[in-house]
Amino acid sequence: MSIQARRERERADRERAIITAARDLAESEGWDAVTTRRLAAEIEYSQPVLYSHFKGKDAIMAAVALEGCAELAVELAAARAAATDPRAAVAAIATAYAAFAERRPAHYDAIFTLPVALSFASQDTPVELVRAFAELAETLRPFTGDDDLETFTETFWSALHGQVTLMRGGRLRRDEHERRLALLVDRFARLG
């Protein structure tokens, strides 16, 4: 292995360690606990090393968001593929989306609730974000009828995100979660 290849591998490993430490710390203690000083201590590198990889906490959050979106896209694709019909696919992705938000709250917050320097709904949108949205859109395609698929998907996603966010924040009854998801799926499947 050349010296250049080894250095590139070591740099990638450090970057991966920073992202992993940030994600793990945010998952266990929340994003307020994630600071460059704390991350430097966690991965046993100096703060200047962190800054040689990321401009600051916002850039680290964006990296976690991209990682989370890639994971979410895989989970949505698996849920859609396992479904027996289009309506079951909508129910499956709604359930998978909500489960992801519960299981990975730091990822979910970095992707969908915290301000991050990522471009959404534009030509500059990172591929990870595009893939997650595309999974939702392809699942909803059979139900769009004459509606614009992108707008229909955004509306479904907004309703799903609202339910998840309100439930996570304690504003909706947790014991009615599955019923609310079923109502959402039913309404959107009927629109098509």
Side-chain angles (χ1 to χ4, degrees):
M1 174 182 297
S2 73
I3 292 173
Q4 181 65 25
R6 181 179 52 82
R7 285 184 181 154
E8 288 174 11
R9 189 191 75 232
E10 288 171 353
R11 180 169 178 75
D13 289 347
R14 276 192 311 272
E15 190 167 300
R16 177 89 242 127
I18 294 165
I19 294 168
T20 299
R23 181 200 64 220
D24 292 349
L25 187 56
E27 292 289 3
S28 65
E29 298 181 37
W31 278 107
D32 287 342
V34 179
T35 64
T36 54
R37 180 174 299 206
R38 181 96 182 262
L39 287 175
E42 291 284 327
I43 64 168
E44 299 177 344
Y45 283 102
S46 67
Q47 284 182 285
V49 170
L50 261 71
Y51 286 114
S52 74
H53 289 273
F54 298 99
K55 289 183 180 180
K57 180 179 174 177
D58 291 347
I60 294 168
M61 283 175 34
V64 171
L66 289 176
E67 175 188 87
C69 243
E71 184 180 323
L72 177 60
V74 168
E75 291 181 22
L76 294 175
R80 183 166 63 99
T84 56
D85 60 61
R87 184 179 171 84
V90 176
I93 64 155
T95 300
Y97 183 96
F100 177 86
E102 281 291 306
R103 195 178 67 261
R104 296 281 194 204
H107 274 109
Y108 190 84
D109 289 343
I111 301 165
F112 297 118
T113 62
L114 298 172
V116 291
L118 294 174
S119 179
F120 288 82
S122 75
Q123 291 182 335
D124 298 333
T125 301
V127 68
E128 296 86 350
L129 305 177
V130 171
R131 284 184 185 140
F133 186 81
E135 285 302 327
L136 291 172
E138 286 309 308
T139 306
L140 293 168
R141 185 178 296 281
F143 303 100
T144 58
D146 294 333
D147 291 330
D148 172 38
L149 177 60
E150 190 170 329
T151 302
F152 190 82
T153 304
E154 288 172 340
T155 304
F156 176 81
W157 173 32
S158 298
L160 185 56
H161 171 71
Q163 283 191 22
V164 166
T165 302
L166 289 169
M167 186 185 68
R168 285 181 62 217
R171 271 106 176 145
L172 295 177
R173 297 168 289 160
R174 190 166 285 280
D175 61 338
E176 291 294 317
H177 173 64
E178 290 192 25
R179 185 167 175 235
R180 282 190 304 274
L181 284 180
L183 287 169
L184 177 65
V185 168
D186 182 59
R187 296 304 185 259
F188 273 82
R190 258 196 251 166
L191 291 174

